[in-house]
Amino acid sequence: MDFDFTKEEKELIAEVRAFIDKEATPELLAETRQLGLIYGGPEGRKFIKKFASHGWLTPNWPKEYGGLGTSEMVTYLIREEMAYSGLPCIFVGAHMAGPAILRIGSPEMKKEFLTPLAKGEIEFALGYTEPQAGSDLVAMKVRADDQGDHFLVNGQKTFNTHCHVADYHWLAARTDPEAPKHKGISMMIVDLKSPGITIRPLITMAGWRTNEVYYDNVKVPKKNLVGEINKGFYYMMSALDFERMAPPGVYRNLFDEIVHYAKSTQAGGKPLSQNPLIRQKLAQMAIELDVARLLYYQLAYILDKGSIPNYQSSMEKLFVTELSQHITETGMEVLGLYGLLKEGSEWTPLAGKVEHFHRWSVVETIYAGTSEIQRSIIAQRGLGLPRQ
């Protein structure tokens, strides 16, 4: 069995690497890290527009909407390369909302949003979670009442990470309070500059910002309804499958730096790399990283076959995010007490990345559904076990 990429895919990724080497400025990398790997900041927007002009932001989209008409595998290769390079790799518009619009959006909606998304001109923010519901999305209470030519939206969302830098909200709201909980929800696109929207910051333990968002009699045109009314829960589940397809490149890069540190740092007159315990732990991480990459590229394979990965997305998200904790814990052990030092200290190894990502890795296992939610999905949909 041959797991290698094609000659054309290797040539393309070499071209992408050369572009990144030239255009990834220290200012862009610092902004990306401060924002939590999302894009929308001034440096990120400048970079993405140049990057997207090659068709690399949405290469698998049809050419009429700004894509290259290539395979999903090419998209996944590029995202992994961006993640490894420390660039924005979480794109709500291009990789979560955009694929849903391609499948269920009206012709007018596709015309209005897809090409600007493919060009990197606009970005979306997810609007699912509510303070009283958490991961239980059917318990959401934000209401969108039908007012004839528009919806009137009221309520509160929370942990909506992109909202302070995005242009549109990919909003789930209850449009039929009398229907069974999962049948009364609709998806709609909301201009975040609409009157009545208030966005307030919440700072995570990783140091980057997420948001709580308040809707107070916000008018949303009917044309911004995505797909059919009251079928939003099913659309949301599909978009969540795309959200969970996380490239492991960020942690592959951190692991490579930890390995280099172990080879180049002496302790007790010997390189750390000769310590048997450190060697065992690093070898174990290398194995798990290879598994993570195979799970990641399996998602592209399934998409290229015409299906949307479901429990497989949960398997990849669960494995990669828990692996991120294993890698940063290993990094802490390799660096010893130096691993506790933050970025900015003159004594901090690896520019404080281990300390930073150690806090970050806790957040990783919560967003897009906690690890407990992912295991429940795998049990029910993957193994056919009864619902609890």
Side-chain angles (χ1 to χ4, degrees):
M1 188 174 290
D2 184 3
F3 286 108
D4 205 358
F5 299 108
T6 66
K7 176 175 176 288
E8 291 75 20
E9 288 167 343
K10 290 178 181 176
E11 289 174 350
L12 175 62
I13 211 63
E15 193 178 346
V16 171
R17 279 182 193 140
F19 179 90
I20 289 173
D21 288 343
K22 180 182 176 185
E23 300 289 343
T25 64
E27 292 79 12
L28 170 63
L29 296 173
E31 177 188 274
T32 305
R33 192 166 156 184
Q34 189 268 329
L35 286 175
L37 295 180
I38 66 173
Y39 106 91
E43 296 296 325
R45 287 195 180 239
K46 281 193 293 187
F47 173 83
I48 291 300
K49 285 179 183 174
K50 288 185 187 176
F51 189 81
S53 68
H54 297 268
W56 294 338
L57 185 56
T58 56
N60 57 309
W61 286 15
K63 292 181 180 178
E64 64 179 303
Y65 298 125
L68 298 175
T70 63
S71 65
E72 294 281 356
M73 190 62 74
V74 168
T75 302
Y76 277 63
L77 269 165
I78 291 175
R79 287 185 68 192
E80 173 69 352
E81 189 62 31
M82 295 179 79
Y84 187 86
S85 302
L87 295 173
C89 60
I90 301 172
F91 300 89
V92 173
H95 300 140
M96 301 174 204
I101 295 173
L102 265 173
R103 287 168 172 79
I104 58 176
S106 65
E108 294 76 18
M109 182 173 283
K110 290 178 183 178
K111 186 176 180 181
E112 180 176 357
F113 291 107
L114 290 182
T115 301
L117 281 172
K119 290 182 177 179
E121 294 174 346
I122 58 174
E123 173 59 322
F124 283 34
L126 293 175
Y128 299 156
T129 307
E130 296 182 10
Q132 83 290 343
S135 296
D136 184 10
L137 295 178
V138 295
M140 69 173 56
K141 292 182 177 178
V142 166
R143 288 185 57 155
D145 295 319
D146 192 336
Q147 300 291 310
D149 64 341
H150 67 273
F151 294 102
L152 199 63
V153 182
N154 283 282
Q156 180 189 354
K157 294 288 181 180
T158 193
F159 303 127
N160 289 190
T161 299
H162 284 69
C163 274
H164 61 298
V165 293
D167 307 286
Y168 295 93
H169 214 189
W170 182 252
L171 181 73
R174 191 161 292 285
T175 43
D176 186 353
E178 306 302 322
K181 287 184 175 179
H182 65 290
K183 292 185 177 178
I185 295 171
S186 298
M187 294 299 308
M188 53 193 69
I189 298 171
V190 184
D191 187 334
L192 282 167
K193 295 188 291 297
S194 302
I197 294 178
T198 302
I199 301 171
R200 295 178 180 170
L202 292 170
I203 306 303
T204 69
M205 65 181 291
W208 44 263
R209 174 177 170 175
T210 183
N211 300 284
E212 52 185 3
V213 185
Y214 295 87
Y215 278 74
D216 183 10
N217 288 324
V218 177
K219 290 183 178 179
V220 180
K222 279 281 185 69
K223 70 179 181 67
N224 284 16
L225 177 71
V226 180
E228 297 182 43
I229 194 164
N230 294 330
K231 290 193 175 179
F233 180 76
Y234 306 102
Y235 304 149
M236 193 166 43
M237 291 300 100
S238 177
L240 270 169
D241 289 335
F242 283 100
E243 183 183 354
R244 290 169 181 150
M245 302 175 191
V250 177
Y251 291 100
R252 193 162 55 84
N253 179 289
L254 179 61
F255 174 75
D256 287 349
E257 292 201 32
I258 294 170
V259 171
H260 178 74
Y261 181 84
K263 288 179 179 175
S264 59
T265 304
Q266 298 266 333
K270 293 182 180 179
L272 285 171
S273 56
Q274 290 187 11
N275 181 311
L277 182 59
I278 289 175
R279 294 167 65 89
Q280 290 292 317
K281 286 181 178 290
L282 293 177
Q284 180 63 31
M285 292 301 96
I287 294 168
E288 294 186 23
L289 272 167
D290 257 16
V291 174
R293 293 189 76 198
L294 290 174
L295 287 171
Y296 173 71
Y297 287 117
Q298 182 197 31
L299 302 177
Y301 174 81
I302 293 171
L303 286 166
D304 278 332
K305 292 294 183 183
S307 301
I308 297 178
N310 179 252
Y311 67 89
Q312 299 94 336
S313 298
S314 293
M315 290 171 64
E316 198 263 352
K317 194 268 183 185
L318 175 67
F319 193 88
V320 169
T321 54
E322 295 200 346
L323 172 59
S324 73
Q325 295 184 352
H326 301 163
I327 289 177
T328 62
E329 287 164 3
T330 299
M332 281 287 182
E333 293 180 80
V334 172
L335 270 59
L337 291 176
Y338 290 108
L340 298 172
L341 297 174
K342 290 187 175 184
E343 179 183 10
S345 167
E346 63 176 306
W347 303 105
T348 305
L350 310 185
K353 287 184 179 178
V354 171
E355 187 277 341
H356 178 73
F357 283 110
H358 192 57
R359 288 182 284 119
W360 190 321
S361 67
V362 177
V363 183
E364 292 271 64
T365 56
I366 298 173
Y367 73 82
T370 62
S371 289
E372 289 77 13
I373 293 287
Q374 307 312 320
R375 287 191 169 88
S376 180
I377 291 171
I378 295 165
Q380 289 177 40
R381 302 177 195 170
L383 300 177
L385 300 182
R387 186 184 185 87
Q388 286 186 320

